[in-house]
């Protein structure tokens, strides 16, 4: 027994990946398992994704990919955030595919490959309008040329051409068409320069595009949040996805207090009657945002209760009234909603954020328990 745990239903991840695949017939699926599998536990999530039919995995950092390799995951993995000084030799040795959006990085990858005596598999990234990673289209021909030169010397092989959407979760946003146009232009430039063949995978679609933009699927889709059962476009519903994570805690203390009792730091909640308070042993150090103070709801004793007063580092309080709750009783912070508990989407809505932030912040003190 632990004060709190995040229960992860791996069958939900498997089913969600299968559902995502059914929306992208003919395309490969690379699931993003960065940030500890969106908080679900990276290796377990990765295995569930592969069982659900994903052919590939994606991580932000090289170290995340190396961790998957250390845990015995052999599927192809692409890593895409690579500042100077990353362990590229190890990455190439471990068959981790690497994204490059600038010539210096192509060179660094090629040099690592030269040292290890292996051919590095590289995905060239174009910035088609997200304004984040990747090469601006103006610099793209030079990036392609550098990659082709390195490919000719035998140190790298270009196996992917890719980009990332800024607004795929805003249906009809004009930037979607603009980005697709820019991506097609980047693909044409690369093809004309000599990057081609059926082994070159073209990919741009995150979860939102995987589910709503058939023309953005190209050779591979690259979902993340939807694999964990959370909607990439909440306004359009849940797409039949099943949330995989249920975050629970057990009441550490239940006690009777008089009317007028101030609760937690700052006394932001004051009891308006004699009542009982329940202490929930999770706080902002565990990813329960302090901003959830007085906002988010949890489920305990058969009904929902708003957080009473400040969320602290390790704990927060709920007012349980006269309900027969006692120490050790379960509190569900969020789950799939089937028992009446809030969902991660409701937490995100009440905090003005997205579910990505809710699930990825669950801290390392909270064990992940798999079903
Ligand atoms: C995180 C990420 C994804 C997955 O995005 P979702 O919105 O979670 O589907 C795909 N591609 C890249 C480059 C990412 O960083």
């Amino acid at each position: 027994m632990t004060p709190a745990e995040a229960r992860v239903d791996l069958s939900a991840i498997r089913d969600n990946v299968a559902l995502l695949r059914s929306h992208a017939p003919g395309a490969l699926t690379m699931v993003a398992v960065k940030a500890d599998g969106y908080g679900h536990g990276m290796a377990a999530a990765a295995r569930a994704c592969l069982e659900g039919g994903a052919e590939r995995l994606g991580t932000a950092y090289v170290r995340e990919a190396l961790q998957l390799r250390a845990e015995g995951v052999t599927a192809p993995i692409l890593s895409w955030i690579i500042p100077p000084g990353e362990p590229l030799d190890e990455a190439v040795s471990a068959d981790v595919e690497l994204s490059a959006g600038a010539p210096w990085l192509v060179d660094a990858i090629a040099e690592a490959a030269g040292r290890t005596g292996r051919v590095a598999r590289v995905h060239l990234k174009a910035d088609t309008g997200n304004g984040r990673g990747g090469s601006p289209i103006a610099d793209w021909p030079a990036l392609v040329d550098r990659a082709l030169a390195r490919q000719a010397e035998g140190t790298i092989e270009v196996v992917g051409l890719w980009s990332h959407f800024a607004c795929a979760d805003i249906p009809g946003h004009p930037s979607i068409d603009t980005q697709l146009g820019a991506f097609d232009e980047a693909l044409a430039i690369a093809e004309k320069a000599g990057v081609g063949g059926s082994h070159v995978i073209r990919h741009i679609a995150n979860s939102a595009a995987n589910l709503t933009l058939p023309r953005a699927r190209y050779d591979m889709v690259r979902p993340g949040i939807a694999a964990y059962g959370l909607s990439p476009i909440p306004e359009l519903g849940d797409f039949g996805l099943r949330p995989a994570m249920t975050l629970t805690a057990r009441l550490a203390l239940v006690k009777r207090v008089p009317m007028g009792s101030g609760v937690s730091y700052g006394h932001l909640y004051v009891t308006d009657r004699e009542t009982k308070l329940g202490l929930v042993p999770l706080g902002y150090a565990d990813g329960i945002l302090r901003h959830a103070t007085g906002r988010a709801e949890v489920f305990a004793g058969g009904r929902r209760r708003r957080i009473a007063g400040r969320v602290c580092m390790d704990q927060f309080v709920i007012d349980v009234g006269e309900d027969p709750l006692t120490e050790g009783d379960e509190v569900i912070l969020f789950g799939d909603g089937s028992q009446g508990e809030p969902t991660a989407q409701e937490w995100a809505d009440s905090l003005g954020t997205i579910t990505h932030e809710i699930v990825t912040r669950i801290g390392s003190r909270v064990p992940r328990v798999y079903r």
Side-chain angles (χ1 to χ4, degrees), residues 316-335:
F316 64 84
V317 174
I318 52 177
D319 183 340
V320 302
E322 295 305 320
D323 294 349
L325 279 158
T326 183
E327 283 89 356
D329 283 355
E330 182 172 89
V331 178
I332 306 179
L333 283 80
F334 57 80

Side-chain angles (χ1 to χ4, degrees), residues 32 34 38 80 125 132 162 164 206-208 222-226 356:
K34 59 191 178 181
Y38 285 46
W80 52 70
K125 183 171 190 188
R132 221 173 59 171
W162 75 294
H164 192 55
N206 58 2
S207 295
R222 214 174 55 237
I225 194 70
H356 302 63

